[in-house]
Amino acid sequence: MPPGRAATTDVEWDFSEFGERVTLTSETEAPTINYNGLHIIGAMTTDSKDYVTSEGVHFNGATKPGQRCLFYTPDMDGRLTVSYKSNGSSARGCYISKEMSTTNYLAMDSAVVGSVIARLKAGTTYYICMDASITITNVNYSY
């Protein structure tokens, strides 16, 4: 390692801890799961098509205010990488933003299978949003 460079540390959420399907829907409020510091917010609906399994976070629609997103607040500056796949055959957008937004974002990618990467600042909350049905398969934070 060159002088003056710190070692890189990764925090990874691969969803392998979810041995059984966990539903992310409720009629009265959007369910929230704290998965080792990564917060997963489901949908307020009677439809149970949003869930988490060892394959990832499956959202059956777009981010809405307070629904269908993930968020993370890092302790140190670093780089967030989100891997995802479309739940259909068309490209879907995945966004990293400082708010639940698919229009005011820091980084975005649109693909059938893709990843989106953004530099994050410590102490700021960042959201992972989508414009349609996707499965988030892996989230990695390097600092």
Side-chain angles (χ1 to χ4, degrees), residues 1 6 12 17 22 34 57 59 72 78 83 90-91 94 98-99 102 118 124 131 134-135 139 143:
M1 181 171 19
E12 182 177 24
E17 291 180 28
V22 177
N34 180 344
V57 181
F59 287 119
Y72 178 62
S83 300
S90 300
C94 185
K98 289 185 182 178
E99 57 191 54
T102 58
T124 302
D131 64 12
I134 67 172
T135 298
V139 178
Y143 57 94

Side-chain angles (χ1 to χ4, degrees), residues 22-41:
V22 177
T23 301
L24 285 172
T25 56
S26 171
E27 290 183 47
T28 56
E29 63 182 41
T32 301
I33 296 171
N34 180 344
Y35 178 47
N36 302 322
L38 179 69
H39 300 270
I40 305 166
I41 302 176

Side-chain angles (χ1 to χ4, degrees), residues 1 6 11 46-47 49 51 66 95 108 115 118 124 126 137 143:
M1 181 171 19
V11 178
T46 57
D47 186 359
K49 293 182 180 178
Y51 54 86
Y95 305 81
M108 74 87 59
S115 63
T124 302
Y126 294 89
T137 57
Y143 57 94

